């Protein structure tokens, strides 16, 4: 670069400034005396209770979420109208009982036949 | 620790018991080169001394944030030059001088400085450099006196290499014109 060469020729790169003798040696010593003490970094190696249970809580929340979405998309399981408990069966009067059996096995020809034969035998 | 080894120093900085010792090695290694860069910008020894001290105190306070991604010198230069900019801005806010008055101020400062040994040419050269905007002065000083690579200056000043090249080119032109006029 021509202009840079001109500057170099005219002014050079020498340092016209001075400092007191041993300034830099004393500077380090002086500065180190001025530096504040560092507070030890807080070392927390013991995890808190929340940190320990957090993964389990998250996992439980995830399963709840999945179950909820399944319920929303698939729908609640419908109660089988042809299923009754033993206590309910014992309470049922005989004529109701027969209707119930008929409804439950409506399309079952063999059951129907069995019931008809049983009636005839009576 | 006899010879400065940056990798070793950065390792020691992580050790709370030897952090101070490592930092002392950093101060010893970089104080002189940083001082001359600061002195060229602020001219006065007392101001340069204050800025250098502030630079290292800031570096010490933030040493945990130095992760060794950049070179230690780059990090320190960045702090030092920011400190210089803060100082210059404060000075400018306190006394609003015209360009001619600012030039006279440089002359007066150099003539009254017991620790300035420069001849007339060097005085004019410094006046020429001080006629540039602060950031351009920094670019010129780092490139011309320190022969720093543009890539490193770019990391220090946060300016693109292209912009730095243009800035240096303009600085050289302006200084050459100033020298032609005053010598």
């Amino acid at each position: 670069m021509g202009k840079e060469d001109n500057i170099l020729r005219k002014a050079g790169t020498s340092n016209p400034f001075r400092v007191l003798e041993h300034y830099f040696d004393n500077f380090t010593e002086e500065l180190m005396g001025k530096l504040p003490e560092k507070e030890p970094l807080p070392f927390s190696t013991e995890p808190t209770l929340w940190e320990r249970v957090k993964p389990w809580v998250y996992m439980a929340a995830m399963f709840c979420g999945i179950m909820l979405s399944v319920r929303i998309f698939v729908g609640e399981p419908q109660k089988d109208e042809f299923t009754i408990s033993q206590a309910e069966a014992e309470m049922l009067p005989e004529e109701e009982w027969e209707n119930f059996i008929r409804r439950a096995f409506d399309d079952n020809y063999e059951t129907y036949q069995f019931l008809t034969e049983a009636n005839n035998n009576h | 620790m006899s010879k400065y080894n940056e990798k070793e120093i950065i390792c020691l900085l992580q050790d709370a018991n030897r952090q101070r010792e490592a930092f002392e090695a950093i101060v010893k290694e970089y104080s002189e080169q940083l001082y001359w860069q600061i002195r060229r910008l602020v001219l006065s020894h007392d101001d340069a001394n204050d800025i250098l001290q502030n630079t290292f105190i800031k570096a010490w306070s933030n040493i945990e944030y130095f992760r060794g991604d950049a070179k230690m010198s780059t990090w320190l230069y960045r702090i030092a030059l920011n400190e210089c900019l803060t100082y210059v801005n404060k000075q400018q806010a306190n006394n609003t001088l015209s360009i001619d008055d600012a030039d006279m101020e440089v002359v007066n400062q150099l003539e009254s400085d017991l620790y300035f040994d420069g001849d007339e040419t060097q005085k004019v050269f410094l006046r020429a450099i001080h006629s540039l905007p602060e950031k351009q002065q920094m670019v010129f000083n780092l490139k011309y006196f320190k022969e720093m690579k543009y890539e490193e200056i770019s990391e220090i000043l946060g300016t693109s290499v292209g912009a730095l090249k243009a800035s240096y080119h303009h600085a050289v032109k302006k200084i050459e014109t100033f020298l032609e006029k005053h010598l």
Side-chain angles (χ1 to χ4, degrees), chain B residues 120-142:
Chain B
E120 197 52 37
T121 310
Q122 282 172 322
K123 229 182 269 180
V124 175
F125 187 30
L126 275 168
R127 281 169 57 201
I129 295 170
H130 278 259
S131 69
L132 304 171
E134 288 74 33
K135 259 205 158 177
Q136 209 167 33
Q137 282 183 48
M138 290 173 181
V139 177
F140 181 81
N141 287 342
L142 291 172

Side-chain angles (χ1 to χ4, degrees), chain B residues 39-53:
Chain B
R39 180 85 185 262
R40 282 183 196 284
L41 289 166
V42 300
L43 302 177
S44 133
H45 164 75
D46 290 340
D47 293 336
N49 182 52
D50 286 348
I51 293 171
L52 188 64
Q53 282 194 19

Side-chain angles (χ1 to χ4, degrees), chain B residues 84-98:
Chain B
C84 284
L85 275 181
T86 310
Y87 165 85
V88 171
N89 289 340
K90 261 189 203 164
Q91 291 277 100
Q92 284 173 347
N94 288 340
N95 42 6
T96 47
L97 298 172
S98 66

Side-chain angles (χ1 to χ4, degrees), chain A residues 4 14 16 18 23 34 38, chain B residues 49 53 60 117 122 168:
Chain A
E4 193 184 28
S14 61
R18 275 191 303 119
Y23 165 72
K34 282 182 184 173
K38 286 249 174 201
Chain B
N49 182 52
Q53 282 194 19
W60 173 248
D117 286 342
Q122 282 172 322
Y168 182 69

Side-chain angles (χ1 to χ4, degrees), chain A residues 8-82:
Chain A
L8 268 171
R9 204 164 6 91
K10 282 178 191 165
T13 54
S14 61
N15 184 5
F17 295 106
R18 275 191 303 119
V19 284
L20 281 172
E21 218 178 323
H22 305 302
Y23 165 72
F24 293 110
D25 299 329
N26 297 338
F27 176 83
T28 307
E29 206 177 307
E30 210 177 296
L31 180 94
M32 292 311 291
K34 282 182 184 173
L35 292 184
E37 283 297 328
K38 286 249 174 201
E39 281 184 26
L41 289 171
F43 271 107
S44 139
T45 48
E46 188 71 29
T48 60
L49 178 69
W50 170 241
E51 280 171 340
R52 270 182 288 160
V53 298
K54 200 160 64 174
W56 300 104
V57 172
Y58 284 174
M59 203 182 284
M62 191 182 72
F63 281 119
C64 288
I66 292 170
M67 282 170 71
L68 217 76
S69 356
V70 167
R71 280 216 156 179
I72 289 167
F73 291 112
V74 177
E76 269 192 65
Q78 284 185 338
K79 199 185 168 196
D80 189 354
E81 60 174 311
F82 301 118

Side-chain angles (χ1 to χ4, degrees), chain A residues 100-119:
Chain A
F100 172 77
I101 299 282
R102 193 171 295 134
R103 276 206 318 277
F105 303 100
D106 216 10
D107 54 347
N108 194 330
Y109 177 76
E110 279 176 26
T111 314
Y112 179 74
Q113 203 174 20
F114 165 77
L115 285 172
T116 315
E117 277 171 13
N119 273 347

